[in-house]
Amino acid sequence: MGRKRGTQSQAIGRSRGGITTKVLALTDAVGNMIDFRLLPGQAHDLREVPALIERLMGGSLLADRAFDADWLRQDLADKNITAVNPPKSNRRFPSTFDKHIYKWRQLVENFFGKLKENRGIAMRSCKTDQSFKVFISIAAVIVQTK
């Protein structure tokens, strides 16, 4: 048996918008990328979160509704990190969050906007994950130095 070939090993998957790749990024307080992971389009965002937050230290983690999971909140609480994300609409007992701090999440959205100004990243023009990761890393450095 040889290695797997094709899109299964290249973080390319099918979602509503077609064949896509998700970029899951961890940024610092001012919106500069610290680390990132690639996911196939159909994968849930929480799948790669444990790898991103294993060495995380800080006061708060700002995220959107997709990251509202009990195990993630507990893991962050064990590390003395405050989870600042709105609860999912289907939660029976919704958790509270600081709406004033949550407004700073726009820095992460701005980072992704700047990253996607590069057409090669927005269109996923690289064939392999390795080259796409390098392309994202170079673009992130360029965004940070501007």
Side-chain angles (χ1 to χ4, degrees):
M1 265 271 157
R3 63 187 170 96
K4 257 189 168 177
R5 294 178 178 255
T7 59
Q8 297 89 1
S9 61
Q10 294 302 322
I12 297 172
R14 193 167 288 283
S15 70
R16 290 183 196 175
I19 296 176
T20 60
T21 299
K22 289 182 181 179
V23 179
L24 181 66
L26 182 65
T27 65
D28 63 7
V30 292
N32 296 322
M33 187 172 69
I34 297 170
D35 197 6
F36 70 97
R37 298 285 188 270
L38 297 179
L39 295 166
Q42 78 275 8
H44 194 278
D45 295 342
L46 285 173
R47 191 166 101 180
E48 288 291 324
V49 168
L52 275 178
I53 67 167
E54 67 185 351
R55 297 180 313 217
L56 186 64
M57 296 182 318
S60 301
L61 178 75
L62 283 70
D64 60 5
R65 291 181 199 278
F67 297 91
D68 183 28
D70 291 333
W71 67 266
L72 179 58
R73 287 183 180 276
Q74 185 60 48
D75 192 24
L76 292 171
D78 293 344
K79 295 178 180 183
N80 293 324
I81 299 172
T82 307
V84 182
N85 58 328
K88 290 182 184 175
S89 60
N90 63 352
R91 270 210 179 255
R92 194 167 180 189
F93 302 107
S95 57
T96 60
F97 70 102
D98 190 340
K99 292 180 182 179
H100 180 70
I101 293 175
Y102 185 71
K103 290 179 182 178
W104 287 95
R105 198 176 75 82
Q106 53 95 12
L107 293 173
V108 178
E109 298 298 331
N110 292 346
F111 167 76
F112 275 108
K114 291 175 188 172
L115 200 62
K116 289 181 180 180
E117 285 177 5
N118 188 322
R119 194 180 119 222
I121 292 175
M123 304 296 292
R124 169 83 199 241
S125 60
C126 300
K127 186 173 181 178
T128 64
D129 280 356
Q130 193 67 25
S131 60
F132 192 48
K133 286 178 182 179
V134 170
F135 201 35
I136 290 173
S137 299
I138 291 170
V141 169
I142 292 169
V143 167
Q144 289 175 8
T145 56
K146 280 187 176 181

